[in-house]
């Protein structure tokens, strides 16, 4: 029994050790516990601490740059490096407040130095997904919540842990600190977010850079001019500071969120650097504080306007890109259909040549046997049938268009014979050089003109007039097609208009136009760029296969 107990006890200990090991591995895997300290993280903490010290030296209570640096660092750095930022900020406060421990106590020294950065980090973490979704307007929520939270912590800890400063805690001080932190955030945070999303934005052009430089120059000149005015000329100073909003608004309207981020940062920085400061803690400029309140509201409005403009611009670009893709697909389908018709016409051409050769052989055989009259009659009938057959082939695919152009194909192919047979189509009037257009556009114009005349012949009575004009304008080239009733007093029926939109609408949209029916005419514009789309290549039907002997 004792041996059995001794055997069981180690087994239980073994299972207990194994369970603890499994639990430890689960914790490490689930929460990614990693206590290694990287050298790059230490460098990041040191750099952040030095930048925090530098921006604090240039700040006053109503214009607090470290608040903006704190949010910008959290936006630019991945969450795994946030602990180093927290350590860097705490290190700065620790060395700056160490000599005040005897005066205010250890609790104030620890809490007032260690709570600020984690609080803002939590706020930024809650907004990361919304910012990643492409809506920069949530940055204003980060700025407002951070300014309110940091001011509440500072003032609350000062009231609770610094009894000698109870009188310094006031609503005026709270408003001053909130606006100072908020404006400081609006300087660095939009620029940081702009830099972080730079790969998802259109590449700035030279004109964009020049406009941004010009705007910042105007803002800077106005700010320096306001600073040079006498101290008692408050109206002129406030007017110049408010005038700085005009170029900022213009840049926002032109470039959306990007313009708002640049202009608002320039506004805040210019006004902040031109504040009259005594260099002592609590330095305050009452005259500039009113302008800063207006600037806080206006900067918020500009950023909201810029984000709205950018969002609608992205939506417009997305719809425009989808429209171009749809038009390209329609053009590709049209060209594939023309290629299929071309192959079908080639097969029909081969069949026609075989028929012509068979008739020629039969006629020669009749001539050899002395039947000259039947042979000649067979040749005449064969020539007539061959011509009609070729006209039908040209209706399937107009081969003349590949080497002679659109107008020749319309005047010499089967379309001309079909129009003449109706006795309702006047002699067409063509102008311009269609050979300057791509083959794809000429084929689209050919099919559109044939369909338009067919719709008019079917749903309208009376004679028709057909016109076409080719031309260029800038980087675009195209053709204008008009099919009209000869009687100017008549108006197209609703059935004709509806059918024309159904038949011609898709092809017209693929080439940047749409059919328009006004009074007695149907008008269609087809346009392409100077770099035409690829079209069915290769030799024409008549270059591949010689004309029939008859």
């Amino acid at each position: 029994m004792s041996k059995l107990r001794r055997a069981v006890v180690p087994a239980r200990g073994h299972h207990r050790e194994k369970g603890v090991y499994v639990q430890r591995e689960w914790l490490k895997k689930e929460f990614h516990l990693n206590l290694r300290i990287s050298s790059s993280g230490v460098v990041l903490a040191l750099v952040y601490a030095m930048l925090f010290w530098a921006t604090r030296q240039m700040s006053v209570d109503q214009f607090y740059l470290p608040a903006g640096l704190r949010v910008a660092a959290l936006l630019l750095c991945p969450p795994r490096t946030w602990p180093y930022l927290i350590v860097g900020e705490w290190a700065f406060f620790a060395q700056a407040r160490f000599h005040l421990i005897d005066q205010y106590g250890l609790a104030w020294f620890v809490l007032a130095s260690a709570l600020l950065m984690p609080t803002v980090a939590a706020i930024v973490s809650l907004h990361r997904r919304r910012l990643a979704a492409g809506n920069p307007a949530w940055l204003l929520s980060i700025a407002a919540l951070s300014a309110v939270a940091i001011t509440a912590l500072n003032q609350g800890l000062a009231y609770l842990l610094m009894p000698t400063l109870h009188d310094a805690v006031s609503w005026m001080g709270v408003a001053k600190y909130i606006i100072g932190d908020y404006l400081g955030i609006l300087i660095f945070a939009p620029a940081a977010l702009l830099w972080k999303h730079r790969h998802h934005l259109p590449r700035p052009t030279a004109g964009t850079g020049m406009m941004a430089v010009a705007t910042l120059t105007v803002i800077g000149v106005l700010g320096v001019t306001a600073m040079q005015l006498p101290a008692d000329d408050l109206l002129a100073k406030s007017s110049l500071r408010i005038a700085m909003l005009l170029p900022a608004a213009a840049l926002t309207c032109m470039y959306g969120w990007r313009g708002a981020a640049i202009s608002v940062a320039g506004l805040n920085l210019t006004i902040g650097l031109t504040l009259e400061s005594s260099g002592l803690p609590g330095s305050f400029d009452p005259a500039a504080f009113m302008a800063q309140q207006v600037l806080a509201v206006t900067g918020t409005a500009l950023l909201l306007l810029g984000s709205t403009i950018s969002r609608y611009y992205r939506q417009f670009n997305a719809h425009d890109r989808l429209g171009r893709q749809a038009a390209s697909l329609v053009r590709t389908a049209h060209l594939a259909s023309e290629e299929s018709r071309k192959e079908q016409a080639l097969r029909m051409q081969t069949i026609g040549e075989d028929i012509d050769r068979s008739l020629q052989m039969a006629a020669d055989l009749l001539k050899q046997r002395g039947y000259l009259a039947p042979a000649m009659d067979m040749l005449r009938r064969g020539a007539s049938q061959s011509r009609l057959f070729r006209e039908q082939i040209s209706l399937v695919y107009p081969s003349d268009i590949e080497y002679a152009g659109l107008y020749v194909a319309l005047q010499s192919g089967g379309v001309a014979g079909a129009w003449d047979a109706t006795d309702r189509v006047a002699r067409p009037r063509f102008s311009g050089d269609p050979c300057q257009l791509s083959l794809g556009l000429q084929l689209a114009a050919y099919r559109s003109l044939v369909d338009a005349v067919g719709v008019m012949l079917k749903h309208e009575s009376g004679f028709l007039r057909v016109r076409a004009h080719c031309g260029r304008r800038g980087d675009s080239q195209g053709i204008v097609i008009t099919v009209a009733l000869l009687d100017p007093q008549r108006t197209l029926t609703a059935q004709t208009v509806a059918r024309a939109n159904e038949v011609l609408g898709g092809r017209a949209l693929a080439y940047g136009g749409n059919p328009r029916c006004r009074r007695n005419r149907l008008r269609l514009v087809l346009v392409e760029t100077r770099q035409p789309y690829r079209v069915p290549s290769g030799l024409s039907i008549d270059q591949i296969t010689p004309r029939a002997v008859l």
Side-chain angles (χ1 to χ4, degrees), residues 132-406:
N135 189 1
W138 286 101
L139 185 63
L140 296 173
S141 175
I142 295 177
L145 291 177
S146 299
V148 172
I150 295 302
T151 301
L153 283 174
N154 284 328
Q155 296 294 292
L157 292 174
Y159 187 83
L160 294 175
L161 303 178
M162 302 170 70
T164 59
L165 297 180
H166 279 186
D167 295 336
V169 178
S170 63
W171 290 111
M172 183 63 183
V174 169
K176 178 177 65 175
Y177 295 135
I178 288 177
I179 292 179
D181 287 359
Y182 186 75
L183 293 178
I185 294 172
L186 292 189
I187 290 178
F188 293 114
L193 190 63
L194 195 64
W195 175 261
K196 186 176 182 180
H197 294 166
R198 64 190 183 279
H199 299 300
H200 305 288
L201 297 173
R203 177 174 294 182
T205 61
T208 304
M210 293 177 61
M211 186 61 65
V213 171
T215 301
L216 295 178
T217 301
V218 173
I219 293 174
V221 169
L222 292 174
V224 172
T225 304
M227 185 177 61
Q228 298 299 327
L229 293 176
D232 57 348
D233 197 355
L234 300 181
L235 180 60
K237 280 190 171 186
S238 300
S239 299
L240 288 176
R241 284 168 175 164
I242 294 176
M244 295 163 61
L245 302 176
L246 297 178
L251 192 66
T252 300
C253 292
M254 286 189 293
Y255 299 106
W257 166 256
R258 180 183 295 175
I262 296 173
S263 59
V264 171
L267 275 173
N268 290 326
L269 193 61
T270 301
I271 291 182
L273 295 179
T274 56
L275 291 176
E276 297 179 2
S277 173
S278 63
L280 299 176
S283 178
F284 181 67
D285 183 0
F289 187 61
M290 291 299 297
Q292 283 186 295
Q293 295 180 59
V294 175
L295 180 60
V297 176
T298 308
T300 302
L302 287 177
L303 289 173
L304 285 175
L305 175 63
S307 64
T308 303
I309 292 174
S310 297
R311 183 172 71 252
Y312 283 113
Y313 180 74
R314 287 193 301 270
Q315 292 177 358
F316 171 78
N317 277 345
H319 289 303
D320 184 59
R321 183 171 61 254
L322 291 176
R324 290 196 301 269
Q325 291 177 355
S328 178
L329 291 176
V330 173
R331 285 191 292 266
T332 302
H334 167 70
L335 296 175
S337 175
E338 293 296 338
E339 184 70 20
S340 176
R341 292 185 181 188
K342 180 178 178 179
E343 295 176 357
Q344 183 179 0
L346 283 172
R347 290 192 294 269
M348 293 175 65
Q349 184 81 8
T350 303
I351 294 173
E353 292 176 353
D354 291 339
I355 295 175
D356 290 341
R357 281 192 294 269
S358 298
L359 289 175
Q360 183 67 49
M361 292 174 60
D364 292 341
L365 184 60
L366 289 175
K367 288 180 182 179
Q368 292 176 4
R369 295 184 177 182
Y371 299 101
L372 184 59
M376 296 303 298
D377 183 63
M378 181 180 292
L379 289 176
R380 285 193 298 270
R381 291 179 178 274
S384 176
Q385 295 298 323
S386 178
R387 179 176 56 80
L388 295 176
F389 190 70
R390 284 186 172 277
E391 289 181 356
Q392 294 301 313
I393 292 177
S394 68
L395 292 175
V396 175
Y397 184 83
S399 60
D400 292 342
I401 202 171
E402 295 190 8
Y403 62 90
L406 172 65

